[in-house]
Amino acid sequence: MTIMDEARNVLGEALEPCSSKPLTGFFRDGHCNTCDADHGSHTVCALMTAEFLAFSKYVGNDLSTPHPEFQFPGLKPGDQWCLCAARFLQAHDEGCAPMVRLDATHVRALEIVPLEVLQEHAAPES
């Protein structure tokens, strides 16, 4: 049985939703919730950019192409998506990290990405 971790964000508050259109998250619940079975740590709520989507495709994870067989519409700039923490950090290191929503980024992202890095890419609160 998979047990979901407590839904807390990197600010120590309740985890806010990331996206329901497109529906995101390891559990496809719209949140960047995680558990021990989430080996990719899909915990960073990121705002997609054309630059990041091109980078992700270049490094072997095409997030732009729809895959209806998996109910995946393909992402476009402006979409919000729960990214793997390591991919976000890799994009940061390469200078093409997207902005993130700290209120919707799970606290377990901090096991991989330093808070200062996430804060550097924080989206303005709306």
Side-chain angles (χ1 to χ4, degrees), residues 46-61:
L47 288 73
M48 297 296 100
T49 63
E51 181 182 31
F52 174 78
L53 290 169
F55 167 76
S56 189
K57 185 175 184 177
Y58 175 75
V59 296
N61 188 19

Side-chain angles (χ1 to χ4, degrees), residues 20-123:
S20 60
K21 290 190 181 198
L23 188 58
T24 191
F26 180 76
F27 292 98
R28 289 298 190 263
D29 61 358
H31 292 74
C32 296
N33 282 307
T34 192
C35 65
D36 289 338
D38 179 11
H39 301 293
S41 187
H42 296 79
T43 52
V44 177
C45 182
L47 288 73
M48 297 296 100
T49 63
E51 181 182 31
F52 174 78
L53 290 169
F55 167 76
S56 189
K57 185 175 184 177
Y58 175 75
V59 296
N61 188 19
D62 181 2
L63 296 172
S64 302
T65 301
H67 288 280
E69 67 274 23
F70 301 117
Q71 291 78 48
F72 180 69
L75 302 178
K76 60 188 180 313
D79 286 341
Q80 294 185 162
W81 192 250
C82 294
L83 285 183
C84 293
R87 177 70 77 218
F88 173 81
L89 187 58
Q90 181 185 22
H92 164 77
D93 292 345
E94 294 295 328
C96 60
M99 289 192 300
V100 299
R101 287 195 39 226
L102 298 177
D103 64 345
T105 295
H106 197 281
V107 67
R108 286 211 36 203
L110 298 177
E111 294 174 4
I112 298 168
V113 183
L115 180 58
E116 299 76 29
V117 171
L118 291 169
Q119 289 171 326
E120 180 182 329
H121 297 283

